[in-house]
Amino acid sequence: MLETGTKAPDFELPDQNGKMHKLSDYAGKKVILYFYPKDNTPGCTKQACGFSERYPLFTEKGAVVLGVSKDTVASHKKFEEKYGLAFTLLADPERRVIEAYDVWKEKKNYGKVSMGVVRTTYLIDEKGIIIKANDKVKAADDPEKMLGEV
């Protein structure tokens, strides 16, 4: 996980519609950049729906929400349509951004060890500096917690 007070690495990734986004596009706004393991899984769905429900409140506070996983653009599109998600999902199948933000880690699940995305949320300020970093994210609680941080 990257430390608070450090410059957030810029990136360029496609969203669920294939449109390219750079972190630098959002200079002047706060960015909630959250990394999640997989579209359409129970925890990831709770987290995404929570951010979507609160999205108008985030925009009122001048913040944007960007969700990142290693799923494809097509997978993100289905996920967005299935749940009516109101924010941007970024596809990183090559894991360039996932690795740049240090969220690709060894995970243990029922004794089995594998590599995967550790659910992590970053709050990046208007100048591109990480001001909050959390890798102990509870999927259902994260959107409300981040709303209080913005």
Side-chain angles (χ1 to χ4, degrees):
M1 180 175 75
L2 301 178
E3 295 298 313
T4 58
T6 59
K7 180 98 174 124
D10 201 5
F11 58 78
E12 187 171 26
L13 289 175
D15 70 11
Q16 66 268 36
N17 300 307
K19 179 180 177 236
M20 297 305 284
H21 292 258
K22 291 183 195 164
L23 180 61
S24 54
D25 294 340
Y26 299 100
K29 291 181 179 243
K30 285 189 176 160
V31 176
I32 291 115
L33 183 66
Y34 84 94
F35 293 87
Y36 65 98
K38 191 152 181 53
D39 291 342
N40 287 301
T41 55
C44 297
T45 299
K46 274 189 194 124
Q47 188 177 19
C49 288
F51 275 120
S52 190
E53 288 162 17
R54 293 166 182 81
Y55 195 68
L57 301 171
F58 284 108
T59 56
E60 276 175 28
K61 292 182 166 198
V64 294
V65 176
L66 303 173
V68 181
S69 80
K70 63 185 190 67
D71 293 304
T72 63
V73 168
S75 174
H76 281 348
K77 188 66 183 166
K78 287 181 191 149
F79 189 41
E80 173 206 34
E81 288 175 347
K82 184 174 181 181
Y83 295 101
L85 301 177
F87 62 93
T88 302
L89 298 172
L90 299 173
D92 188 17
E94 290 88 33
R95 302 194 318 258
R96 284 193 304 267
V97 178
I98 288 166
E99 291 182 19
Y101 279 81
D102 198 26
V103 297
W104 185 253
K105 303 274 189 188
E106 192 174 89
K107 297 165 77 171
K108 288 187 177 111
N109 195 12
Y110 302 111
K112 184 177 162 245
V113 177
S114 63
M115 294 298 287
V117 173
V118 173
R119 191 182 307 278
T120 306
T121 303
Y122 291 101
L123 177 58
I124 302 165
D125 75 8
E126 296 84 349
K127 294 184 178 103
I129 304 297
I130 296 169
I131 53 173
K132 290 278 178 194
N134 181 13
D135 65 353
K136 307 228 180 327
V137 174
K138 288 188 171 47
D141 301 339
D142 192 39
E144 188 63 31
K145 183 177 179 201
M146 291 313 295
L147 189 59
E149 299 283 354
V150 175

